[in-house]
Amino acid sequence: YSINPDEQIIGNTGALTEQKGYFVFLDTARLIVNAGVKAKFFIIGHGHLEKKLKNYAEAQQLQDRVIFTGFRPDVAALLPEFDLFLSTSVAEGLGTSVADAMACGIPVVATASGGTVELVIPDQTGLLSPVGNSSHLAQNVLRLLQNPALAQQLAGNARLHIQQFSKAETARQTLNVYRQTLGYQ
């Protein structure tokens, strides 16, 4: 992907749909570039908005900064290369892409949408911004890029926090709910 060693890698994974807020992702990228950050922005996924997003990236003069990879079966291999995960979702269930990034030890900046707020605890496991607020998202990204120690601390905390969302832990907690509901202790 022709990434220079001095460039930050900021990315997201997911379907290119309205709920993922990729236009805000691109607006945030523009603000980060305008702040003088050398970065490449990865959008891994495909969907019906791909052409519109590519056109928007070009209109924002980001065509040399944003890389649309399309669908990749090897996301797990690509994620650890990110310096930062930027989730700009408008709506989320749990936010499994955010969970994957946290499990890989990648610092996360995300919007406070849906289940993401269970994963990203502000200033503990990542940084949250209001949905649709590219300026706030850019400020949070810049904060982590300018403070690598904080970014690593949040990423480390997130790796521990995400363990409570494992299949085994979810099954254990679900069983406890059933036992309590049925009066079995």
Side-chain angles (χ1 to χ4, degrees):
Y1 291 109
S2 301
I3 300 168
N4 294 322
D6 64 338
E7 290 180 307
Q8 299 290 315
I9 300 172
I10 300 170
N12 193 340
T13 63
L16 305 186
T17 63
E18 288 80 5
Q19 90 175 48
K20 297 298 182 181
Y22 277 113
F23 290 101
V24 171
F25 181 95
L26 294 171
D27 289 340
T28 304
R30 168 54 41 214
L31 293 170
I32 293 165
V33 168
N34 287 349
V37 174
K38 292 181 179 180
K40 293 281 188 182
F41 299 87
F42 275 73
I43 295 177
I44 300 174
H46 65 88
H48 71 275
L49 290 180
E50 186 170 348
K51 184 175 174 133
K52 287 181 180 179
L53 289 166
K54 286 179 177 179
N55 289 339
Y56 190 73
E58 191 171 323
Q60 296 293 314
Q61 299 178 340
L62 292 169
Q63 63 274 9
D64 61 333
R65 301 286 191 128
V66 178
I67 298 168
F68 291 87
T69 68
F71 173 78
R72 293 287 304 249
D74 59 346
V75 172
L78 296 176
L79 273 178
E81 301 301 320
F82 286 12
D83 293 299
L84 191 135
F85 192 87
L86 175 60
S87 175
T88 54
S89 291
V90 174
E92 275 298 340
L94 176 60
T96 55
S97 293
V98 170
D100 291 343
M102 293 171 109
C104 289
I106 301 163
V108 171
V109 171
T111 50
S113 64
T116 302
V117 298
E118 292 181 50
L119 300 172
V120 181
I121 303 167
D123 293 306
Q124 291 181 30
T125 64
L127 299 179
L128 283 177
S129 296
V131 171
N133 191 330
S134 57
S135 177
H136 197 275
L137 285 158
Q139 289 171 10
N140 277 339
V141 168
L142 293 172
R143 180 177 172 205
L144 292 185
L145 293 179
Q146 293 165 353
N147 190 342
L150 174 62
Q152 288 311 304
Q153 178 186 353
L154 296 177
N157 292 345
R159 277 187 112 156
L160 294 174
H161 178 65
I162 201 64
Q163 292 175 11
Q164 70 180 306
F165 296 91
S166 70
K167 290 178 189 175
E169 183 59 22
T170 300
R172 188 189 67 72
Q173 289 180 21
T174 302
L175 180 59
N176 285 342
V177 168
Y178 284 132
R179 285 181 174 158
Q180 289 173 357
T181 302
L182 296 172
Y184 299 114
Q185 296 296 337

